[in-house]
Amino acid sequence: MKSNTTYIKSNPQVSLESILHVIKSKGLNISQVKENPLYSDLFDEFKNSLSELIDIICHERSIHELINSIAKSYNSTFYSDMKEYDTYFEAVSETYLRLFSVIKKSSGDVNNIGRVRVDTFLDKDPEVFTYTLRSYIRNNILLDLSRKLGAENTRTESDTVFFEGDESIYKVDSVKFNRSQIENSVDIADQIADSITFKDDMQALVDAVIARFTSRKPVAAYIFLCTLNETYDPRKIVTNLKSKNFNDLFHGVLKDLSFTYNLDISCYNTMVYDATKYLSSFRSISDESARARIDRLASQTRKDVQRLPIANVIRSHM
């Protein structure tokens, strides 16, 4: 029986294909558009359409069922809280980041070593881009995600790990796109920040975070305090950490918190917060990798805070 089913392109796909035609007509590839300030508006349009398209593909039934099956396959202690949406966001994040990575290994008959992956998608017509992307997510991203979880599902992170020189460390709780939708539903940072009536709890929480993290993970403490202050923005944080004095940044967020919640931070006025160990490697990587690293650290820190004694006190007040 003849099917009357008609495939309807999504708006992001239509927009993306139109942008790709413009890029090809200029004789450019996508990475060139990204690097040239003259085409910043064009690249922003491409980036937004691409992100929306990846989101749509990962919600398609066949792809999403694979994501769900991966999420349910590993039940180790470290991943005991892994949810379907955690894995979904990880797949989205890995797809976007790896599209802009340089290919280091040959695959098949065509040698693309040295090229940015997303540029190879333009070797074909723009109308084939979505099909190629869908196949890439299914055959590469999800397969690698499954393999990595299987290989590292028992790994735990000590307080002294800073992801220095070890980008292979993989955390399924890495969050790069939408923190508010995937964090723990009983999240102290959000619960406290939503209500200034918890002044005593806020003071105790800030004190506990500083005492717990600043000597070994000062950047983690800074990120969590930004979350409490409702100013957590990975893009802005990366820019600040790469270009500004960390001690000034730390005292700045403390000052903002003191004004917002009427906290006493006088005992910290003379303290010097040094993150040289973390930032020495952090400043040498791309902004995309830096944002991914910040989100990994932020997500892990939020979970670490949940285990602090003050967390139980705060929960009792909610």
Side-chain angles (χ1 to χ4, degrees):
M1 183 174 69
K2 184 177 180 180
S3 173
N4 292 321
T5 302
T6 301
Y7 176 76
I8 300 176
K9 295 181 180 181
S10 64
N11 289 334
Q13 179 177 345
V14 173
S15 175
L16 187 69
E17 290 175 1
S18 175
I19 294 168
L20 292 175
H21 276 293
V22 172
I23 293 175
K24 292 197 74 169
S25 70
K26 295 180 179 294
L28 301 171
N29 57 42
I30 297 169
S31 57
Q32 289 172 331
V33 172
K34 177 185 177 182
E35 294 168 359
N36 193 330
L38 295 176
Y39 300 115
S40 59
D41 290 341
L42 180 62
F43 180 71
D44 284 342
E45 293 178 10
F46 168 78
K47 179 177 61 177
N48 293 335
S49 296
L50 176 62
S51 298
E52 292 174 1
L53 182 59
I54 292 173
D55 179 77
I56 289 173
I57 291 175
C58 286
H59 271 104
E60 292 176 352
R61 181 174 178 178
S62 61
I63 301 294
H64 203 72
E65 285 180 350
L66 284 174
I67 291 174
N68 193 25
S69 68
I70 293 172
K72 294 178 178 179
S73 296
Y74 303 99
N75 298 312
S76 68
T77 301
F78 187 86
Y79 292 110
S80 60
D81 61 345
M82 186 171 68
K83 303 292 192 300
E84 175 184 349
Y85 42 68
D86 292 318
T87 315
Y88 155 73
F89 275 105
E90 195 66 24
V92 170
S93 303
E94 285 295 305
T95 299
Y96 188 84
L97 293 175
R98 285 169 57 178
L99 283 175
F100 289 94
S101 64
V102 176
I103 298 174
K104 298 180 181 179
K105 297 181 180 179
S106 60
S107 177
D109 298 329
V110 180
N111 186 354
N112 283 312
I113 295 178
R115 299 182 68 189
V116 176
R117 187 175 300 281
V118 73
D119 289 345
T120 67
F121 284 29
L122 263 188
D123 292 345
K124 301 177 181 179
D125 293 334
E127 285 74 16
V128 186
F129 188 96
T130 299
Y131 171 80
T132 307
L133 178 61
R134 183 182 292 110
S135 298
Y136 177 69
I137 292 173
R138 180 177 58 249
N139 299 332
N140 295 83
I141 298 299
L142 297 185
L143 179 60
D144 287 351
L145 179 58
S146 179
R147 287 172 176 170
K148 289 177 179 178
L149 288 179
E152 302 191 28
N153 63 349
T154 59
R155 183 183 182 106
T156 57
E157 177 187 355
S158 69
D159 289 336
T160 56
V161 172
F162 291 90
F163 299 99
E164 291 178 311
D166 190 1
E167 287 302 312
S168 66
I169 293 177
Y170 188 87
K171 300 295 183 185
V172 81
D173 60 351
S174 174
V175 181
K176 307 172 183 76
F177 280 84
N178 194 333
R179 173 183 59 83
S180 63
Q181 291 187 23
I182 70 177
E183 290 290 354
N184 194 311
S185 60
V186 186
D187 192 306
I188 292 177
D190 288 338
Q191 294 267 352
I192 290 289
D194 285 343
S195 178
I196 60 174
T197 60
F198 295 143
K199 176 190 171 183
D200 292 340
D201 285 344
M202 177 64 82
Q203 180 76 59
L205 182 59
V206 169
D207 291 342
V209 168
I210 291 177
R212 171 67 174 79
F213 295 105
T214 51
S215 63
R216 290 173 290 184
K217 283 187 177 182
V219 176
Y222 171 70
I223 291 173
F224 190 82
L225 294 180
C226 285
T227 304
L228 287 178
N229 198 42
E230 297 185 285
T231 56
Y232 178 78
D233 179 350
R235 187 181 298 273
K236 184 176 180 181
I237 286 177
V238 166
T239 299
N240 287 341
L241 289 178
K242 284 191 171 187
S243 62
K244 297 182 179 180
N245 180 277
F246 179 75
N247 187 57
D248 292 342
L249 290 172
F250 203 103
H251 280 286
V253 72
L254 278 178
K255 185 176 181 181
D256 290 341
L257 282 168
S258 70
F259 286 145
T260 303
Y261 297 101
N262 192 26
L263 304 181
D264 180 8
I265 62 167
S266 58
C267 61
Y268 303 118
N269 289 343
T270 60
M271 290 186 66
V272 176
Y273 301 100
D274 180 28
T276 303
K277 184 177 180 181
Y278 184 95
L279 296 178
S280 59
S281 63
F282 181 84
R283 287 170 175 163
S284 65
I285 62 178
S286 68
D287 286 355
E288 288 88 351
S289 295
R291 286 195 294 273
R293 183 182 291 190
I294 285 298
D295 269 320
R296 284 197 296 266
L297 184 58
S299 185
Q300 182 61 48
T301 302
R302 292 162 76 89
K303 292 181 180 181
D304 289 343
V305 170
Q306 301 287 336
R307 294 191 286 268
L308 294 177
I310 183 60
N312 291 328
V313 176
I314 292 174
R315 289 191 189 96
S316 68
H317 294 169
M318 291 180 179

